[in-house]
């Protein structure tokens, strides 16, 4: 769904397609990186790779990133750390989508963050959340599918609750857990924007518009588990924790208890086997735009 939003920003020069992230300062286990206005996915991958490398030397690696962009799914990057035997963390700021608690005008982004860790015989334990009641992309998806959104997701530009995704997009996304989500999002903006010296607050530009430099920033951490204890012991305890969670007596109608990241891991297996069902509008756009580039879509 976002592919051609990125494409419009690349074509207009808002994103530099050939930018190479540059390590620019820091000392010891801490580095700073300038994304040079490149694609957030490329910059975040480079930052996590460097954080993992630093953790091998110092036990922990931290990379503060400025001048990056929207990077999509946060747990993609923390999973890289988990697969390398590390605990991984990433935070990012984003374009304004949420009002400060009690306000009705957008001032702060959803500012997602993610943790991941290896879990022995299980797929990595992973958390990837935005600080709003829902990721903004889900409103765009609902609008594309001509669906209503649940109450509690968004309010319109007058500060009234709405189940119309278009009104929610024009208005603001509501924070998760009320004032707590707003406060966490503000802290993530400090870590991701102010700490590395990138843009913050309402000055960050998102992928939904074709122009304007993003200025998004990130904070990326990797902790080498072997610096604290043998990796095998850590993974054994993770297995015990997951077993304990799953053995919890279940509520009526609940067939299975999942640990964080398990649903996504099962989905990954299923979709690789059976394929991904795309909304018709998304499939049509991919096919049409691919044709403009001389690419024959395989669907």
């Amino acid at each position: 769904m976002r592919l051609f939003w990125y494409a419009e920003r690349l074509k207009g020069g808002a994103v530099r397609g050939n930018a190479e992230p540059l390590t620019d300062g820091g000392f010891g286990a801490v580095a700073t990186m300038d994304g040079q206005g490149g694609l957030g996915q490329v910059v975040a991958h480079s930052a996590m790779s460097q954080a993992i490398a630093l953790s091998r030397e110092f036990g922990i690696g931290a990379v503060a990133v400025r001048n990056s962009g929207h990077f999509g799914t946060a747990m993609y990057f923390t999973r890289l750390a988990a697969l390398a035997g590390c605990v991984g963390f990433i935070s990012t700021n984003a374009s304004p989508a949420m009002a400060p608690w009690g306000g009705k005008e957008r001032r702060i982004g959803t500012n997602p963050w993610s943790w991941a860790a290896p879990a022995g015989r299980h797929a990595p334990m992973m958390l990837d959340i935005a600080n709003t009641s829902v990721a903004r992309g889900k409103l765009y998806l609902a609008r594309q599918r001509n669906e209503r959104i649940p109450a509690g997701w968004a309010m319109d530009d007058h500060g009234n609750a709405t189940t119309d995704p278009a009104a929610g997009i024009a208005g603001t996304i509501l924070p998760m857990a009320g004032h707590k989500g707003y406060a966490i999002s503000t802290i993530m903006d400090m870590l991701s924007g102010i700490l590395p010296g990138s843009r913050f607050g309402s000055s960050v530009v998102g992928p939904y518009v074709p122009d304007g430099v993003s200025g998004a920033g990130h904070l990326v951490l990797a902790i080498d588990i072997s610096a604290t204890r043998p990796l095998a012991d850590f993974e054994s305890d993770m297995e015990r924790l997951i077993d304990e969670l799953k053995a919890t007596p279940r509520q009526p109608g609940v067939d299975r208890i999942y640990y964080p990241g398990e649903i996504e891991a099962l989905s990954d297996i299923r979709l690789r086997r059976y394929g991904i069902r795309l909304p018709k509008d998304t499939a049509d756009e991919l096919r049409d735009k691919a044709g403009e580039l001389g690419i024959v879509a395989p669907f």
Side-chain angles (χ1 to χ4, degrees), residues 241-251 254-257:
L241 172 61
I242 290 171
D243 290 344
E244 183 176 324
L245 295 174
K246 288 182 164 294
T248 305
R250 298 188 296 272
Q251 298 173 11
V254 175
D255 296 325
R256 178 174 180 175
I257 291 175

Side-chain angles (χ1 to χ4, degrees), residues 88-106:
F89 170 82
I90 191 168
S91 66
T92 185
N93 58 8
S95 56
M98 179 171 64
W101 187 244
K104 64 177 186 179
E105 190 173 287
R106 286 175 280 181

Side-chain angles (χ1 to χ4, degrees), residues 144-217:
Q144 188 178 62
R145 292 174 172 173
N146 197 31
E147 297 174 348
R148 308 299 290 183
I149 58 174
W153 276 19
M155 60 183 178
D156 62 22
D157 55 4
H158 299 294
N160 300 311
T162 183
T163 59
D164 178 357
I169 291 168
T172 67
I173 311 291
L174 292 170
M176 67 169 185
H179 65 282
K180 297 178 183 179
Y182 155 63
I184 294 171
S185 199
T186 303
I187 294 299
M188 293 302 161
D189 204 6
M190 176 274 291
L191 291 174
S192 307
I194 294 177
L195 181 64
S198 204
R199 292 189 180 185
F200 55 90
S202 59
S203 65
V204 180
V205 176
Y208 312 103
V209 294
D211 48 26
V213 174
S214 171

Side-chain angles (χ1 to χ4, degrees), residues 210-262:
D211 48 26
V213 174
S214 171
H218 323 307
L219 179 64
V220 182
L221 304 176
I223 302 170
D224 189 332
I225 293 166
S226 65
T228 65
R229 60 187 306 208
L231 177 60
D233 293 349
F234 176 91
E235 292 185 333
S236 177
D237 282 349
M238 289 291 285
E239 291 175 357
R240 288 175 56 199
L241 172 61
I242 290 171
D243 290 344
E244 183 176 324
L245 295 174
K246 288 182 164 294
T248 305
R250 298 188 296 272
Q251 298 173 11
V254 175
D255 296 325
R256 178 174 180 175
I257 291 175
Y258 297 91
Y259 68 90
E262 184 181 8

